[in-house]
Amino acid sequence: MTEGFDPSELASLIVAHDAPHAFEAVVPPIVQTSLFTFSSYEEMLATYRGEKVRPVYTRGLNPTVRMFEEMLAKLEGAEDALGFASGMAAISASVLSFVAPGDRIVAVRHVYPDAFRLFGTLLKRLQIEVTYVDGRDEAAVDKAMAGAKLLYLESPTSWVMEAHDVGALAAIARKHGAVSVIDNSWASPIFQNPIALGVDLVLHSASKYLGGHSDVVSGVVAGSKAMIDRLRAEAYPYLGAKMSPFDAWLLIRGLRTLPLRMKAHQASALEIAGRLQALDVVETVCHPGLANRLPPGLTGTSGLFSFIFKPGVDIRAFADHLTLFKLGVSWGGHESLIVPGEVVLAQKAQPNSAHTFGIDARSVRLHVGLEGTEALWRDITDALSAASKAA
Ligand SMILES: *Cc1c(COP(=O)(O)O)cnc(C)c1O
């Protein structure tokens, strides 16, 4: 998809991909099998010689997973895509495919906490150094990129939601001859298409908006055929964190409603963020949609944002009095969720690390689900009055 793309067209794109299926089923069947048999010795030999491409074993190629991969590649305007067992598998395979001991990568600060931990543990042990930069400061990114092999982006970033000019950052990576990778889970392909902005590889935690129903953990990477083939050559089969057929089937189901869900998350979250900003007890709301304008290439906003309470609010009582917003990590499903910053800070970023991911102890992160704006706002105001009585 390119800029100016009308999300309502997505439904027709998905439907076009959808027919015909076995038994004329409107929903594609799950090819839930580990292996595929051959009709003859000759066919098996031709497949092993590489003369014929067909499924052999589900860790390599499975038709249900392939169907999801092709749909996602189309949505991201990419030539190809690969499905992984989790967002973290997509992140680790993407980075490990393009670095070697002694290399340095540059990452925007406040990346997803487990990406930070991957960089600080496994990559460190492989002698790959990571430099963190403020992605809004393009001069600093340019300076840090000298000699770096890879630029790792996430926009907006986890928790503090720093949003970047992704096209400008991709151009900087290209100028330095480095591979650019972006975690696009927050915006989804509906609101940001990084390939069109010049990014090499775009990845998702499909556990979030792509699935949309909080019943899948999986990931996906999209990019040019050459780059995806590079992942397919090593990181994919040998690290082996392959998407399962059942998860792919659930994701195909999720994609059908992605445009509608994203519009609903956007509208409800923007409304609630705006109302929160007007409250006396709130210091700052971190939501890119409240700024004067979105960065170029970001065409909409999702349901995830955070805000910081002024001192004096009993955040524990607030969280405990919410009924529609449940206490829980992850996001991107139908349900509304809250995560208190203080709880996240209770788990160290890494042993002996004081890194905070930019999280303020008085902040909370909300995922605004699909329950309805007014019901959610009532939940928040009821919990706030209960919390001020408790304080
Ligand atoms: C959840 C998340 C991930 C990790 O995805 P998993 O599917 O849980 O492995 C990566 N990036 C972001 C921004 C996330 O929120």
Side-chain angles (χ1 to χ4, degrees):
M1 296 302 103
T2 48
E3 261 181 280
F5 152 75
D6 174 1
S8 64
E9 288 168 21
L10 179 65
S12 61
L13 191 151
I14 291 167
V15 171
H17 197 87
D18 228 13
H21 303 307
F23 311 112
E24 300 188 345
V26 69
V27 171
I30 313 173
V31 184
Q32 186 70 33
T33 185
S34 61
L35 70 105
F36 298 81
T37 57
F38 296 86
S39 60
S40 68
Y41 182 105
E42 200 46 45
E43 191 194 7
M44 193 171 187
L45 185 63
T47 305
Y48 271 72
R49 277 191 182 132
E51 294 160 9
K52 181 167 183 173
V53 178
R54 50 149 283 172
V56 174
Y57 184 58
T58 280
R59 174 153 52 79
L61 180 61
N62 174 284
T64 312
V65 175
R66 189 62 199 148
M67 187 173 181
F68 168 73
E69 290 169 345
E70 286 176 1
M71 288 169 82
L72 197 280
K74 272 197 190 144
L75 293 180
E76 283 292 10
E79 287 173 4
D80 203 355
L82 275 181
F84 287 85
S86 68
M88 277 312 301
I91 291 171
S92 55
S94 300
V95 173
L96 288 171
S97 292
F98 294 95
V99 291
D103 285 348
R104 191 169 60 83
I105 77 172
V106 174
V108 293
R109 62 182 192 169
H110 312 322
V111 292
Y112 177 67
D114 280 353
F116 175 85
R117 294 184 178 105
L118 166 73
F119 298 163
T121 54
L122 195 57
L123 288 200
K124 192 171 177 185
R125 206 177 319 142
L126 296 174
Q127 281 144 34
I128 295 150
E129 203 194 308
V130 184
T131 310
Y132 289 95
V133 287
D134 180 346
R136 297 167 305 180
D137 183 348
E138 284 154 30
V141 176
D142 189 32
K143 195 162 161 225
M145 281 303 293
K149 282 280 160 40
L150 186 143
L151 176 61
Y152 185 87
L153 304 171
E154 189 182 317
S155 181
T157 55
S158 290
W159 205 280
V160 286
M161 309 289 151
E162 283 174 1
H164 310 131
D165 182 339
V166 170
L169 296 181
I172 292 170
R174 187 142 306 181
K175 185 183 97 182
H176 288 278
V179 174
S180 54
V181 178
I182 189 168
D183 182 332
N184 199 31
S185 309
W186 186 92
S188 91
I190 304 302
F191 293 141
Q192 186 165 255
N193 292 122
I195 300 287
L197 301 172
V199 178
D200 293 318
L201 285 176
V202 49
L203 62 86
H204 291 270
S205 167
S207 326
K208 312 294 165 54
Y209 286 127
L210 300 184
H213 295 72
S214 303
D215 49 13
V216 179
V217 171
S218 56
V220 64
V221 183
S224 68
K225 187 167 182 327
M227 290 245 173
I228 295 296
D229 275 348
R230 179 137 170 192
L231 267 74
R232 200 180 262 122
E234 288 174 358
Y236 194 57
Y238 308 139
L239 293 178
K242 167 84 185 190
M243 177 179 284
S244 78
F246 185 52
D247 284 350
W249 185 84
L250 286 169
L251 291 171
I252 291 166
R253 184 272 313 256
L255 287 184
R256 293 176 208 284
T257 55
L258 181 66
L260 299 173
R261 287 187 285 109
M262 294 311 294
K263 277 191 211 166
H265 287 297
Q266 165 168 255
S268 214
L270 258 178
E271 181 62 32
I272 288 174
R275 291 186 194 179
L276 282 168
Q277 199 171 38
L279 292 182
D280 284 347
V281 292
V282 171
E283 190 168 290
T284 321
V285 180
C286 306
H287 185 308
L290 296 182
N292 284 337
R293 60 177 199 95
L294 295 174
L298 185 62
T299 58
T301 56
S302 68
L304 189 75
F305 67 95
S306 66
F307 66 95
I308 305 175
F309 275 117
K310 284 184 186 152
V313 178
D314 183 343
I315 297 173
R316 184 185 292 241
F318 172 68
D320 281 342
H321 279 95
L322 289 165
T323 55
L324 291 175
F325 284 90
K326 310 280 185 211
L327 277 159
V329 292
S330 194
W331 46 273
H334 47 83
E335 75 287 9
S336 292
L337 295 164
I338 177 169
V339 181
E342 202 173 29
V343 170
V344 178
L345 292 171
Q347 181 186 22
K348 277 198 183 318
Q350 277 182 255
N352 307 316
S353 168
H355 184 76
T356 63
F357 308 108
I359 298 173
D360 188 290
R362 298 205 56 79
S363 68
V364 299
R365 190 187 73 181
L366 297 183
H367 179 252
V368 176
L370 304 174
E371 297 90 339
T373 313
E374 296 309 326
L376 290 171
W377 182 246
R378 222 175 304 122
D379 198 27
I380 288 172
T381 50
D382 286 354
L384 271 176
S385 52
S388 54
K389 275 179 214 132

